[in-house]
Amino acid sequence: MALVIFVILTIACLFQIVDAKEQIIIGSTKKSLSVSDRDLITSRPSAQSILDNHDSYSLEAAHIRVGTTKNMVLAYVTPWNNHGYDIVKKFRGKFTHISPVWYFVKIGEDGFYLEGGHDVDQGWIDEIKAPVGETGFIAKVVPRFQFSAWSQEVFTAVMQKNEIAEGLAIGIINEVRKHNFDGLVLETQLSGYLENIISIISRGLRANNKDFFLVIPPKREDLGTQYDDFSTQNFQLLETYVDGFSLMSYDYTFEGPGPSSPSGWMEDAVFNLAPTEVNREKILLGLNMYGMDWSQGYGKPLLGKDYLKILKTHNPKIHWDDDDEESYFKYTDNGVQHDVYYPTLK
């Protein structure tokens, strides 16, 4: 599984943990050093340092979240890298919410139906919800429900007919109750224009003490009117219904090579939604824990295991873009030049 981490900006498809552990024995005392203690957070790490440290981590910091304990941290376990299931178990104390990408809401001849219930793994959920250490902290499981392959006519019907929206919302809420999930994440196109069904889902979840997150797109003026925008007005209209907005602040470059999450664009995306600090704490900024490998004008997602193979085979020099604040490097394979953008600890 791949992982995309979302953290309240004050920060998930899942990810390759790059952390480090060193046991120093002084008499009978052992200390576990974090990446900060070992000076591994740098804008120009060497390929060898990543290879040496990628599969170790600090035992003391394994369940410590960034920022204050009040910060929400949402991690998605995605379908294209099963390793994510194991990662979130090992580091579950770092996440307040974990969202396995299980459900798709589709339309058939007989109406709406849910696809993906067969993926629900109760054994894995039980492991995720095991109390963490002395704190007793328990992460919440909030599966993602995606409105999948809907036509414009279907969206219009849901927007305009409350009885359709209510029937659909009840079906989704019943699935959450059936498995005793802690809530859900809703992903859909036109999220800013579905107040009716969002409000119905919100009421149903809150009546059962469940959490609700809504996936939203970042502002992309460069893509024109074809892009599914989500405005300040949409944010203000819907913020009362949700516990958090999952902002897709990644995959910036469509025609590469180029950065996945340039820092200036990410900041602008947040300020576009919430020009002032009012309710800004509900915005969860998306951080991609995967990279992109560009060659001959095309880019493909790069998972941690493949990234490590490239580092081992080609030993590239890793550079830092001061403007976009992102790491990148070049390598040549079979005469073809590749440009790789992959997040580092910096």
Side-chain angles (χ1 to χ4, degrees), residues 15-31:
F15 68 115
Q16 173 74 24
I17 286 287
V18 182
D19 205 339
K21 174 186 68 178
E22 181 177 56
Q23 298 289 346
I24 299 178
I25 301 177
I26 304 174
S28 60
T29 303
K30 291 185 179 181
K31 293 185 177 180

Side-chain angles (χ1 to χ4, degrees), residues 85-144:
Y85 279 114
D86 297 325
I87 289 295
V88 294
K89 285 192 295 186
K90 184 178 294 184
F91 298 95
R92 64 189 185 280
K94 288 185 177 290
F95 313 120
T96 60
H97 298 78
I98 296 169
S99 183
V101 178
W102 284 337
Y103 288 100
F104 297 88
V105 183
K106 297 187 175 182
I107 183 74
E109 293 182 359
D110 298 323
F112 294 103
Y113 66 95
L114 280 177
E115 185 177 278
H118 62 279
D119 288 324
V120 176
D121 186 340
Q122 189 59 51
W124 176 77
I125 292 175
D126 292 342
E127 292 182 89
I128 289 297
K129 295 181 72 65
V132 175
E134 296 179 357
T135 66
F137 171 79
I138 298 176
K140 294 183 178 182
V141 176
V142 289
R144 190 212 65 179

Side-chain angles (χ1 to χ4, degrees), residues 30-77:
K30 291 185 179 181
K31 293 185 177 180
S32 182
L33 299 185
S34 70
V35 291
S36 298
D37 295 331
R38 299 187 65 193
D39 295 326
L40 292 175
I41 303 178
T42 173
S43 59
R44 290 173 176 79
S46 68
Q48 191 59 50
S49 71
I50 295 174
L51 291 169
D52 290 343
N53 294 288
H54 77 277
D55 59 352
S56 56
Y57 59 91
S58 167
L59 292 175
E60 294 179 356
H63 295 295
I64 297 176
R65 293 199 299 277
V66 176
T68 70
T69 56
K70 294 181 180 180
N71 283 1
M72 289 187 291
V73 184
L74 169 64
Y76 289 92
V77 185

